[in-house]
Each structure stands twice: as C-alpha cells, then as structure tokens.
Amino acid sequence: MGTTASQLGKDMLSEYQELTFLTKQEILLAHKRFTELLTKDEKDLPNTRVPMERILTLPELKSNPFRKRICNVFSTSEYKDGGLTFEDFLDLLSAFSDSATLEIKSHYAFRIFDFDDDGTLDCRDLEKLVNCLTGETDDTRLTPEEMRQLINNILEESDIDKDGTVNLSEFQHVISRSPDFVSSFKIVL
Amino acid sequence: MSTVSESVVGSTRSLSAAKRHKSIRKNSRRIYSAYQDNQGSSDDQDKEDERADSNDPEEMFQNIQYQKEIIANIRTRPWPMRRKLKVLKQAREIVLKYEGRLTRTRGYQTAGADLLKKLSRVLYNILVLFIPWEVRIKKIESHFGSGVASYFIFLRWLFGINIVLTIMTGAFIVLPELLAGAPFGTTRSKTIPKEHLASAQDLDTIWSLGGYLQYSVLFYGYYGRLRKIGSAGYRLPLAYFLVGMAVFAYSFIVLLRKMAKNSRLSLASASDENFTFCWRVFCAWDYLIGNPEAAESKGAAIVNNIREAIVEEQEKKKDTSLAVLISLRILANILVLLSLAGSIYIIYFVVDRSQKLEQEKPELTLWEKNEVSVVVSLITMIAPSAFELVAQLEMYHPRTSLRFQLARVLVLYLGNLYSLIIALLDKVNSMSSAIPLSPGNWSESSSFLATISQPEGNSLSTLVSEIFVSEHRNITIATIATVLDIRNTSTSGSGVISNQTSLFEKNIRSQQDPCWETYVGQEMLKLSIIDMIFTVASILLIDFIRGLVVRYLSDCCCWDLESKFPEYGEFKIAENVLHLIYNQGMIWMGAFFSPCLPAFNVLKLIGLMYLRSWAVLTCNVPHQQVFRASRSNNFYVAMLLFMLFLCMLPTIFAIVRYRPSQHCGPF
C-alpha cells in the first residue's frame, strides 16, 4: 500500500489528489523531486524514509529558519528524527499549498512554533521562535531586555485566558485576523 | 496533537449523550466511526447495525451524504496521510455498503454528482497547464517574496482579461468587417482622401496614426453602416454596439467575482484589532523565499521591524512641537493640490492648443502632433516621484505615507485621464456642431447659384445675404467675390456651372471629413503607445543605468554607492500596480472607439511582463521595509473597479450626447 519509489501508481495518484490540496502535476513533480533525493538502493524499496539532512538540501527549505521544525512536525517516524516518507512530504506540500485552508495552515503553523511539542506556546517557545527569525550572528539577535519586552507584548496581545501561554485557539484567533498570513505561508516546488 | 484529543473527547461526549435515544445512538455511532482511533468498537456495532438497520431510505441517504461530506472534507483535516487513507477507506466502505439499497432516483443523483466531481477535477488539472509564466513568477517569488510577486500575478490576471476582450472584439466586430464588409477603397469612409494620398506612406503619418492606419479596422470610422453585410446577413452595427457594452459588462463581472473570492479567503476583520507584535513575529516569515541572500535580507528586515515596534511602544509621543508638524503637513498638502491642479490645467491647455494649431497650420511638426500624449506620459512619470519628495516633509509613519502616496497618485491618474477626455470631447463638440451641411446641401447651393445666374433683376445685396445665410462659414470671401464676378460678367450657363464645380472642389478640400470617433480612438491609441515607450525608457534608464552606475562606479567614488544614495532601486510595488490600473483604464476608455485597442494592450502587457521580470531580477534589491501596503488583496481590485466605473462614464456620455458622424462608422 505504499509507493514504489520508481513510479506512482494511478490509483494512488487519484487517492492523493483526493486527500491533499495538490493538483496532479504538483503531485507528480513532488514525486520526481522526492526520488531525486533517494540513493540508488533506496529507490527500489517501498515507503523509504529520507533522513532530515537530505530533505534540508531542497532549495525551498534550505533558507527557511524553521526547516528543522517543519521536518519534525510532518514526520511520522517513530524515532522522532525528522525523516520524511513520500506521503509525509505530500502532507507538507499540501499544507503549504496555495489552496489550503486557513485552518490547516494555522494549525500547522502552531505546531511548527511549538518547539517543545506540549500543545502551547510558552515563553521558552517564543524565545526560540524569535531567535530563529533573527538569525545567529550577535548583531542581529535581540538583547535580553528587548526579548523580554517583546514576549510580554505578544502575550499581552494574544493571551486571552491569561495563563501565560498561547494555546491553539488563541493562536488561530490572532492569525485569522492577519491579512498577510495566508499568502506568505506558502511553499511551491 | 491537541485537536486529536479534542475530537476524540468530542465524540465520546456525544456518544454518552446519545445513549438516551436508541435511534440517535445508532446514527451517531455510524457517523462518528470515522473519528475514532480504535476500530474495535465499530466492529461490534456492525452486527447491531445489521439487525437494527432501519428501512428508512431517507435516513440511509442522510448518512451516506454525511459520509460523503467526510470524504470531501478529508483534506482539511490536519492528520498524517496514513490516518487520512484509513478514514477514507472506512467512509467509502460505508457508502458502498448502503448505497446499493438506495432507490433508483437517488442513485442516479449520487452517480451524477460523482461524475461531475471527477470531470471538474480533470478539467482543473488541464486548465492549470495553460497558466503562463509560472516558472518566471516562481523565481521572482523565491528571490523577493510574495509582495513583489503579487504585482506579476496581478499583471497576469489583467493579461487574461485583455485576451478575453480581444477575442470578443476580434471575433464579433473585426473579423466580420474584414471578411464580409466592403473592402478598402470602395466607400467614402474607407478611402484616403486625395490630398492625403501622397503623404499616406510617410513615417510621419504612420506615427500619428494617419493614412492607411486611420482608414483601417483599427478605428471606428472604418466600419460600414450597412444594416446587414455578407451572405449571412450579419448585423454589424448592432454587433458593434453590443460588443462595446459587453466589454464593460464582462469586466464588471470578472472584477466582482474576484473581489468576492478574495473576501472569502481573507476573513475581513470588522474590528480594527491590531495584533502588531504577534503579526510581526508569527506572520513575519515569507516561506516562498528560497534564496539565501534574500533570506538574509528578510531576516534583517524582520529584526528592524521588531526593534522599531518595541521602540515605538516604549517611547511616548514624539517631542517635536505639534504646531510645526501640522504646518508642515498643511504645506505639503497644499503643494500636492497645486501640482494636481497644475497637471489638469496643462493637459487641457495642451489639447486646446493642438486643436488651434491644427486649424491654423496645414503641416504640423512631429512634436506638435504628439504633444498631448507626450505631456500626459511625462506627467505620469514625474509626478509620483515629486509626491514622494513632498511626503518627506510630512514625517508620517512609512505605512501612512505610502497610503497617502497611493491616494495622491490615483487622483493624479484619474485627473489626467478625465481632463484628457473632457478636452477631447470639447473638441468633438466643436467638430460635430460645425457640420450643418452635408454634400447634399452643397449640390443644393450649387443649383441655387446656377438658378441665380439666370434671372436678371435680382439685386446683389439680397444675393449676398442669402448666400451668407445658407452657406457654411468655411466659405471664404474669395468664393463670394468670384460669384459676384460671375454675376457681373454675365457669362453663359455652362461657364457658370464649370466655375461652380471648381468652387465646390476648393471648398471640399479646405474642410476635412469630420469623424470625431476615429479622432478619439486615435488619441487613445497614441497615448497608449507613448505611455509604453516612456515605461520602457524609464525602466532602462532609471533602473538599469542606476544599477550599472552603482555596481561599476562604486569603486572609484568616495562614498559607498551601494548603501547610500543612489543605491540599487527597490521595486515599487504599489506605484507599479497603480500604473497597470491606469493603463487598463485607458483601454476601457478607448475600447469603443478603437476596437483593436485590447489587442494592442495584450501585446503591451506581454512585453511589460518580460521586461519587468528581467529588470527586477537584475537591477533591484529586496525591500528594506517589511510592511504591506494593502490590508487585503482586495485593495487593488477595488481600485480597478473604481477605475472601470469612471472610465465607462465618458464613453456612455459621448454616445448619448453627441451625434455620430454622418460619413463614417456604423451609426
């Protein structure tokens, strides 16, 4: 019931069209790009899982500050190593596609930002999030004072039940009011 | 995975509530079987379901519809693929199991719906193949982000509209006229008058769209006025009018549909909630960026943005005295209003002057002929930069100043177009009221003169006064003098008639065939052409040369050209989109008078797409600022709708108010 790496069965193709927001061409292109990542022996095995390092060589993900989190969120691996099968890869592209709904995008955005996977965004998650955005070098990072101020402001704006964390519905409430989110939360192969 | 737990909790809660009613329990178990993780419980229920299977076809149908809804919406569930496949299989099994028992009509209904869904999916897959420039736009997206790419996506959408307009006008007006209408040179409106024939092939004439171009399908004047043409009896005048109206109707419909689609996507916030910090952190990153350089600059921009927001939050209101600020802003607004009024006056003056020049001098220089279009295009190039300079006086927040800038540029473009069309219509007014006589009247007056020559006793004064009353003002004094001479010399009848025919011809030469619709069409097409030339020139000169200068001369210059003035240009999204809207407004204004204008616009947009995409990738750098000009995608579409409405008005006004020319065109 998996996909042999060399070709995509016709029935699986129509199933994937049913289950994702991608068109037939996009699924075929995704299949092509995915098989390019496989080594020669892996191409014959069904349902291979590509390790995270190789996924991150894709140019669409390479420059993304959240690339590791994206791989971890969409990975169904038992070892939590961020490796993706082809179906995980399709899930990724579907959530980031043009026709995906706001609910799906905000759901996955929340999971990506939730660095410790506990279901809420607390101060540590927010701090890691901002550090990802600002980069590694010292002059681009925010000072601890600025960071504290920023996190306080974020919680003040979005934390409705005042529990010190942002949960999924509060996050979705904030995101749904943003005019830019849907158009920027996109990855196209 | 909180949603998973939520849905499971939800289902168990509903299950416990449903235990009160047996029938409801059956249904809810059937319905919620898709959400449960463990399949064991549903297997147990299967036997019970078999037994308690209601003979109610309606209930079955409802259940099947619900399962189908699950199948249709399954892609909106944030589950991994394995789980989605499992749920899909289950739902399909249930549907298959119960569908066989449906009544015949319901069966056809569902089969029809399935077929339709499959067909629409196949159609959509094929349609996606035809979308042009996908690779190009993707490249721009990965380098510059979604903001800049939105300009190109807008351009592509306008291109689609123009193609449909071209097909409409081409298929229903141009082709029938070319194929079945009277060919070139037969009727009066299709021949070049003798005095123009000599210069008809000059470059000069072609540039000002005279000569062969004037008497061609490009303009209104060419189209015949026969009620029916060709063997099939195609009603050309009716088609002309209907297509003219259909152009506007189609544009309205497409724009409104796009607006509806956009507002469905972006949940318009009724309240003015401002989650600045949240948005600057959660929505900051543009996931389309695939280029490390662009990612770096985007990261820097985000940091700046966050720091700016923190500073703004901490700092109290600025200390600069309020009085100075307000007076500066008032000054800036006065300057802007003055320049707007100035530009409107200049355009009106220039059109007026060109009208006077045409009447006085028989031969016009190149500059004089194209003065109007050149002046309009110059103003549209220069004024926005002037507004930007003035806006620096105002010291607003960049987002506010960008909004002011857009509003001012929009008013400028509208003012230009309107003053141009009003000046043109004024000229049209004077042209169409200046023809009290047709050649029919001429023959009357020549026979009148012939009869005058016979009788003896008429006094000269009554003759002259009668001539003045009945003839056109273009009669020169020389004509009257020759008539009096004839009278005085009292020659034979044939001599009089030969003199009269020579008079007749001289007067025809001095008065051209008035065809104001062709004139308006010519002006619009000229404006469009010159606007294109200016755009190309400005891209090449301003962006390209600037890029070359900064790159190659920065070594020999004393200050760093790349970070201070004049750095690499940034792609001004908002102004370029406004320019596209202005361009489209021109087309809508002129489409009735020049049916080939949409076709020309199609070519223009193709050229613009290639040129701008090349320019953006070679000469521009990503934006320093992170904010977006529009709160939603609807902003630009709304402006386009506004422009459409305003550009439709002059056409309708001209149709209603002015009499169509008698010697050209279908009416």
Side-chain angles (χ1 to χ4, degrees), chain B residues 406 410 578 581 634-644:
Chain B
L406 285 182
L410 183 66
L578 268 186
I581 294 178
N634 263 349
F635 183 59
Y636 295 129
V637 181
M639 282 207 287
L640 198 60
L641 192 67
F642 185 57
M643 188 65 121
L644 169 63

Side-chain angles (χ1 to χ4, degrees), chain B residues 324-339:
Chain B
V324 171
L325 199 62
I326 290 187
S327 57
L328 276 179
R329 286 179 184 174
I330 292 180
L331 177 66
N333 278 319
I334 290 178
L335 281 175
V336 165
L337 282 173
L338 278 178
S339 53

